[in-house]
Amino acid sequence: MLMRSMMNNSGLTIVALQHQLAARYEPKHPARLRAASISRRLSGLELHISRPFIEAVIEICSPEQDRKRELDRARQLLQRATANPTPVQIASQPPQPTAGDLRQVLRLQEQLLLAKDDLAAAVAARHAAELEVARLTALVGARPGTDPEHNEPESTALPQSGTKPPITSARQGDAKEPEQPESQRDSHSVPERSPVRVDDAAAQVAKELAPHVQRIGPLLRNAFDYIIDGRHTGRLDLQQLTRTEKIYLVERSVFAVREGLDLAPGRRLDAQVAGHDVKICFTTGTNWLVPREATGAVLLLVSASEAAGTYRVGILQATDDALSAGQNLDGKRAINVLGRGRIRWLLRDDSLPENVFATMPPSDLNTLLSVPSGVKRVCELFRRVQQRPIGTAALQTASMQFDAAKRVRDARGLLRAEGITVLNHLNAALLHALDLPVLQKGQYLSVRLYGMSTPNHDRPSVFIDGTWWTVAKADEPVQPLDVRVHRWPFDSDAGSDTP
């Protein structure tokens, strides 16, 4: 820092010093020093190879009477630094986050987002209340026959003799209201319509879409699986997508929602609902980006978190005060705090069909991926993920093959020796009897069963071929399945539901 202070005291800039060094320093060193290199050396870096540079800077920046003293001082400092170099501390590499840590972070982000939404709603409600108070105050102050300053009633005494009564217009429209003080006009002025009131168009769109928004979750799951394409790429979740694929994910999700809900194309925007143009906005993050052409229109807001397994659907009128002042390079604006408080939620944190690979413990996932055979990987998936729906896309990803139904049939035969059966949507009666989740078409569920000679009324069970079968507990022994449980009650050979 000695040389930098000398340069500052001399009144020179780095560019000016660079020009003077060209005459004194560079004849011996033809490689021209750039301003950035000069700045680093003035800060004390790379000085062990720059002794001529130090001498040239001192000659340029120091007065002639002090030059010899500064040169001796610089040589002493350089010798001392060379003899006792300062050790460089190399920071240890921080530990890499685990999948469990990432899921915890995502859950905390979801909780933070909910808290932000609650805060935004509270801010919007407070703003609405302040506007209503201002409006009522203005009405009271502007009421005919009152003094805005003191609010005292007008005198009702009859006019004295010899004076004429005031002349009033016979038409009410000609009467001039008392003028308010300028200070009150500024503080009490309110718009004709409160900005927090949901527009009629948004209310009509919300009413039209409310009965159908439950279908959006499976539509998003199909869109995600289409982009991940695990059967061909081996990818397991959205985190493995490239930047370009993540951009296309937004377009694919918007397309899936519009086509899945059978919405008509809009005149200018994505869709038309209840006679209004609607812009469908999708995000996997915490906010949406609204393009210029959607300002003032109704927004169908959809967000989803694969790690948390939830999605949300809301309606918002994209008024100018509901959007941020800034915009990105594409001219898109985010929804601000006031706008988030106005969102009319149709679904909030509803269950998104699960991606089992995104929620599977890392140890189980590593074990699954280490299995060489496609059918054996499917068997391992059914062992590791039980009593939870598994979609066709997950089975195709695990097997790296197209025919998921064939892989399920093969796995069902191999897992019978371990007491595990695999069910699908056709086993609705058995799923209901064993109190297991309801399956949609294209979903499968594995469960280990335990046979009892007598029924246990505390545990759901079915009677098949002389045995009461129920969902096995972790501490109960494995019992091979010698009956085709998955065929109950369709196959008479599998038994009946009565003893």
Side-chain angles (χ1 to χ4, degrees):
M1 300 304 291
L2 172 64
M3 292 188 297
R4 182 172 289 275
S5 62
M6 290 171 55
M7 185 194 72
N8 294 336
N9 294 334
S10 66
L12 294 176
T13 63
I14 290 182
V15 176
L17 179 62
Q18 182 184 22
H19 289 303
Q20 296 199 30
L21 283 172
R24 302 192 183 206
Y25 178 65
E26 291 185 5
K28 301 179 183 179
H29 300 273
R32 181 176 176 84
L33 286 176
R34 294 177 296 177
S37 178
I38 294 175
S39 178
R40 287 198 303 272
R41 297 189 184 192
L42 290 176
S43 300
L45 301 177
E46 303 176 358
L47 291 180
H48 60 288
I49 58 172
S50 306
R51 183 165 182 171
F53 172 82
I54 297 173
E55 295 176 350
V57 171
I58 294 176
E59 290 177 1
I60 294 171
C61 298
S62 61
E64 184 175 358
Q65 62 272 18
D66 300 333
R67 193 170 298 164
K68 185 177 183 306
R69 178 171 54 82
E70 295 293 347
L71 284 172
D72 294 339
R73 181 184 175 190
R75 291 191 185 102
Q76 293 176 2
L77 291 175
L78 186 60
Q79 291 176 358
R80 189 184 308 168
T82 305
N84 299 302
T86 303
V88 179
Q89 298 292 335
I90 301 177
S92 60
Q93 186 176 4
Q96 296 295 325
T98 63
D101 295 334
L102 294 177
R103 284 195 294 272
Q104 179 67 15
V105 170
L106 289 172
R107 282 194 293 268
L108 292 175
Q109 287 180 344
E110 288 295 321
Q111 294 175 5
L112 178 59
L113 180 59
L114 291 177
K116 286 183 177 179
D117 289 340
D118 294 339
L119 177 60
V123 170
R126 177 183 175 182
H127 183 61
E130 290 176 349
L131 289 174
E132 184 66 13
V133 169
R135 185 182 67 85
L136 294 175
T137 305
L139 290 176
V140 171
R143 186 177 61 189
T146 61
D147 184 353
E149 191 71 27
H150 302 288
N151 198 25
E152 294 179 356
E154 201 174 61
S155 175
T156 57
L158 293 175
Q160 299 178 0
S161 60
T163 62
K164 296 182 179 180
I167 300 176
T168 58
S169 174
R171 293 180 300 172
Q172 183 177 358
D174 294 338
K176 186 177 181 180
E177 295 182 1
E179 185 176 357
Q180 294 184 9
E182 185 177 355
S183 60
Q184 288 197 8
R185 287 201 305 269
D186 294 340
S187 61
H188 296 159
S189 60
V190 293
E192 295 180 359
R193 175 176 293 176
S194 172
V196 298
R197 178 182 174 184
V198 178
D199 191 82
D200 292 341
Q204 294 172 8
V205 171
K207 182 179 180 181
E208 183 76 15
L209 292 178
H212 311 289
V213 292
Q214 292 281 354
R215 295 155 51 189
I216 293 180
L219 296 174
L220 294 178
R221 178 75 270 155
N222 292 337
F224 294 173
D225 293 337
Y226 179 87
I227 301 297
I228 294 172
D229 193 17
R231 179 168 67 94
H232 295 102
T233 64
R235 293 181 301 209
L236 303 177
D237 54 34
L238 296 178
Q239 301 299 323
Q240 297 175 311
L241 298 181
T242 64
R243 178 182 176 84
T244 303
E245 288 171 325
K246 290 180 179 179
I247 296 174
Y248 179 56
L249 174 68
V250 176
E251 300 299 327
R252 183 70 189 185
S253 301
V254 169
F255 174 82
V257 171
R258 184 183 66 226
E259 298 301 316
L261 297 183
D262 197 21
L263 303 178
R267 291 182 292 271
R268 296 184 304 108
L269 302 177
D270 296 325
Q272 192 175 66
V273 181
H276 302 284
D277 261 10
V278 175
K279 175 64 180 177
I280 304 174
C281 298
F282 173 79
T283 182
T284 56
T286 59
N287 206 340
W288 298 264
L289 293 178
V290 182
R292 295 191 192 96
E293 63 271 15
T295 302
V298 179
L299 306 180
L300 172 58
L301 303 175
V302 182
S303 68
S305 172
E306 191 177 56
T310 58
Y311 73 102
R312 299 182 297 164
V313 181
I315 302 293
L316 174 66
Q317 187 82 27
T319 54
D320 191 68
D321 60 343
L323 304 177
S324 62
Q327 59 186 15
N328 64 8
L329 296 178
D330 296 329
K332 296 181 179 180
R333 301 161 65 187
I335 299 174
N336 59 24
V337 175
L338 188 61
R340 295 177 71 87
R342 299 180 189 174
I343 297 176
R344 179 190 293 256
W345 294 108
L346 304 181
L347 279 179
R348 194 163 182 175
D349 293 330
D350 204 53
S351 178
L352 180 73
E354 181 185 15
N355 178 2
V356 294
F357 301 115
T359 58
M360 187 182 296
S363 57
D364 291 351
L365 188 59
N366 293 333
T367 302
L368 171 66
L369 297 178
S370 64
V371 178
S373 168
V375 175
K376 291 182 179 179
R377 283 196 298 272
V378 172
C379 290
E380 192 65 30
L381 179 61
F382 282 133
R383 289 190 192 100
R384 303 281 173 173
V385 183
Q386 294 191 28
Q387 303 181 42
R388 288 155 54 190
I390 300 177
T392 300
L395 295 173
Q396 292 176 344
T397 300
S399 64
M400 299 292 288
Q401 297 173 356
F402 177 75
D403 193 355
K406 177 65 168 59
R407 306 286 84 77
V408 171
R409 291 193 296 270
D410 296 341
R412 183 185 285 126
L414 295 173
L415 293 173
R416 286 177 62 182
E418 303 175 27
I420 298 175
T421 188
V422 181
L423 309 176
N424 59 20
H425 70 286
L426 298 176
N427 302 111
L430 184 56
L431 292 168
H432 178 73
L434 296 178
D435 197 20
L436 294 172
V438 178
L439 299 180
Q440 305 296 326
K441 187 175 182 179
Q443 291 182 328
Y444 299 88
L445 179 144
S446 63
V447 57
R448 188 169 73 88
L449 299 179
Y450 178 72
M452 303 178 296
S453 58
T454 58
N456 185 342
H457 298 292
D458 295 332
R459 301 171 66 180
S461 58
V462 292
F463 187 78
I464 303 176
D465 198 17
T467 304
W468 290 94
W469 294 95
T470 185
V471 177
K473 297 180 180 179
D475 56 350
E476 291 176 333
V478 173
Q479 290 182 338
L481 296 177
D482 52 0
V483 294
R484 293 184 292 179
V485 176
H486 68 283
R487 291 295 303 167
W488 181 89
F490 310 109
D491 193 340
S492 59
D493 294 337
S496 67
D497 56 344
T498 57

